[in-house]
Amino acid sequence: MVRQACLLILLCVLAAARAEPPGAVPVGPDLTAADLADALRVETNRVRRDYGLAPLQASRALEAAAADQASYMALMQQAGHGNVFRGQATVLDRVLRHGLRPVSVSENVAAKPARSEGTPLSRAALAARLVAAWLDSPGHRANLLDPRATHLGCAAHIARVLGRADYVFGVQVFARLPPESPVAR
């Protein structure tokens, strides 16, 4: 327990020293994490329509679950589905934490540079880059193109990674929610 507390304090100190604060715009004057999350949702639904699938409805609770993981990945400076924080170990834990009871849930995560050859990328270009990476991975592709999914939450955290450039840590949380589910939370 003491070891975990010390690790958490160390991680917070390191994150404060190297991660941009929420809402910061390290890669361009008009790029925020919220704008990028919206662009991810738009690009995801564009791709789903291209494959003949219904677009997914936005869910603030799923967005919050995605934001939990995007922030954690930026803190750890690597993409991953796991999380050491209590009550956030899995995507299902994070979704339940935000009050939803999904029929099914899945998650896509990725980390990509926010610049191309030193030039900041637009939110649409970053979203397209993340979605393309997910489409190139069989498991992530299956999540993105799951015809049973009904709702989506996207989040992105932009962080300066030590020894490298600005990175975007993107997360998509897909869910099939029962009709009576309070998706607007």
Side-chain angles (χ1 to χ4, degrees):
M1 183 70 149
V2 172
R3 183 175 168 213
Q4 287 178 333
C6 290
L7 177 61
L8 179 61
I9 291 169
L10 176 62
L11 289 173
C12 290
V13 169
L14 289 173
R18 62 186 166 195
E20 299 294 333
V25 287
V27 294
D30 60 352
L31 179 66
T32 66
D35 289 339
L36 183 52
D38 287 341
L40 278 172
R41 184 181 37 75
V42 168
E43 179 66 8
T44 298
N45 279 329
R46 184 196 66 74
V47 167
R48 285 180 60 88
R49 280 191 300 276
D50 286 352
Y51 281 87
L53 298 168
L56 301 171
Q57 295 179 39
S59 164
R60 287 193 295 253
L62 293 176
E63 289 169 4
D68 288 345
Q69 192 62 11
S71 295
Y72 178 75
M73 292 183 334
L75 177 69
M76 299 306 293
Q77 296 196 345
Q78 67 181 30
H81 295 283
N83 190 317
V84 299
F85 291 118
R86 185 179 182 164
Q88 297 187 48
T90 68
V91 64
L92 180 59
D93 292 336
R94 292 185 289 277
V95 170
L96 293 172
R97 179 174 178 261
H98 290 285
L100 293 181
R101 301 291 180 258
V103 173
S104 64
V105 66
S106 60
E107 176 182 67
N108 287 348
V109 301
K112 293 288 181 190
R115 297 174 183 265
S116 177
E117 299 179 12
T119 303
L121 296 169
S122 70
R123 63 181 150 236
L126 284 168
R129 179 180 274 195
L130 288 168
V131 171
W134 288 321
L135 287 170
D136 285 340
S137 163
H140 294 107
R141 179 186 189 88
N143 293 340
L144 203 146
L145 300 177
D146 184 350
R148 297 166 299 175
T150 58
H151 292 80
L152 172 66
C154 295
H157 192 100
I158 303 162
R160 182 149 296 139
V161 177
L162 284 180
R164 294 186 276 178
D166 297 325
Y167 266 65
V168 175
F169 296 88
V171 178
Q172 296 174 307
V173 177
F174 303 91
R176 179 176 179 173
L177 299 178
E180 69 280 1
S181 185
V183 296
R185 283 191 212 210

